[in-house]
């Protein structure tokens, strides 16, 4: 056997015979890649949905507080607050009733007394994507997300 032939045989054979593990690295890479990709994509989708809930509640609470303190009457302010909360939630894909997820508390009575603080809390429940309904008994299928904003009524506002 010549040296070149021996070297070629030696390079082309491995512990498992001719050609050894040729091609198995690609199969292992694809298998591990897919197994790691599925949970990573689910994590990204879930965190994106939770972040959308955080954006929706923070924006809704801030806008509702401003709407109430800028309104002429308390009833008009609460109606405007419900409207802006509905817009903020719909903007992020939530279809909750804006009046049922919003809580308004005032530090003074009437609510629009100058320098009184108006605290608005908005709370929504973010459903986890891809979790079947029958799993609700075993694991939580939603995460509550809430935000609170306190707005102060203008000091120079006329008394109601």
């Amino acid at each position: 056997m010549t040296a070149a032939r021996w070297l070629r045989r030696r390079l082309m054979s491995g512990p498992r015979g001719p050609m050894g593990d040729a091609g198995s690295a690609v199969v292992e890479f694809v298998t591990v890649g897919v197994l790691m990709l599925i949970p990573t994509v689910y994590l990204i989708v879930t965190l994106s949905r939770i972040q959308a809930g955080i954006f929706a509640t923070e924006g809704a609470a801030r806008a509702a507080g401003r709407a109430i303190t800028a309104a002429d009457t308390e009833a008009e302010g609460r109606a405007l607050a419900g409207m802006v909360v509905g817009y903020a939630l719909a903007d992020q894909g939530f279809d909750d009733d804006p009046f049922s997820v919003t809580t308004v508390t005032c530090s003074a009575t009437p609510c629009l007394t100058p320098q009184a603080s108006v605290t608005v809390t908005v709370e929504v429940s973010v459903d986890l994507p891809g979790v079947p309904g029958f799993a609700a008994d075993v694991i939580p299928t939603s995460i509550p997300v809430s935000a609170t904003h306190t707005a102060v009524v203008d000091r120079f506002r006329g008394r109601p």
Side-chain angles (χ1 to χ4, degrees):
M1 179 181 309
T2 65
R5 192 170 177 192
W6 177 85
L7 181 61
R8 189 175 19 181
R9 244 190 203 175
R10 185 77 174 145
L11 290 175
M12 294 189 65
S13 65
R16 297 186 190 158
M19 299 301 286
D21 289 336
S24 66
V26 174
V27 173
E28 291 171 4
F29 178 76
V30 169
T31 304
V32 171
V34 168
L35 290 176
M36 294 301 290
L37 182 68
I38 292 171
T40 303
V41 168
Y42 181 77
L43 180 67
I44 291 170
V45 169
T46 302
L47 291 178
S48 298
R49 193 66 187 140
I50 292 170
Q51 187 65 38
I54 292 169
F55 283 150
T57 56
E58 285 181 353
R62 184 178 58 249
R66 291 177 179 173
I68 291 173
T69 58
D72 292 330
T73 64
E74 184 177 345
E76 178 186 343
R78 288 181 185 266
L80 285 172
M83 186 176 67
V84 297
V85 167
Y87 286 145
L89 294 179
D91 187 40
Q92 295 296 331
F94 294 94
D95 58 355
D96 297 38
D97 177 37
F99 294 101
S100 66
V101 298
T102 306
T103 305
V104 178
T105 56
C106 302
S107 66
T109 303
C111 196
L112 296 178
T113 303
Q115 289 192 311
S117 60
V118 177
T119 302
V120 179
T121 302
V122 179
E123 184 174 351
V124 296
S125 184
V126 178
D127 294 329
L128 297 177
V131 178
F134 65 84
D137 298 336
V138 181
I139 60 172
T141 58
S142 64
I143 297 174
V145 176
S146 66
T148 301
H149 179 76
T150 301
V152 178
V153 179
D154 187 23
R155 174 186 346 181
F156 301 110
R157 178 188 183 92
R159 295 221 175 248

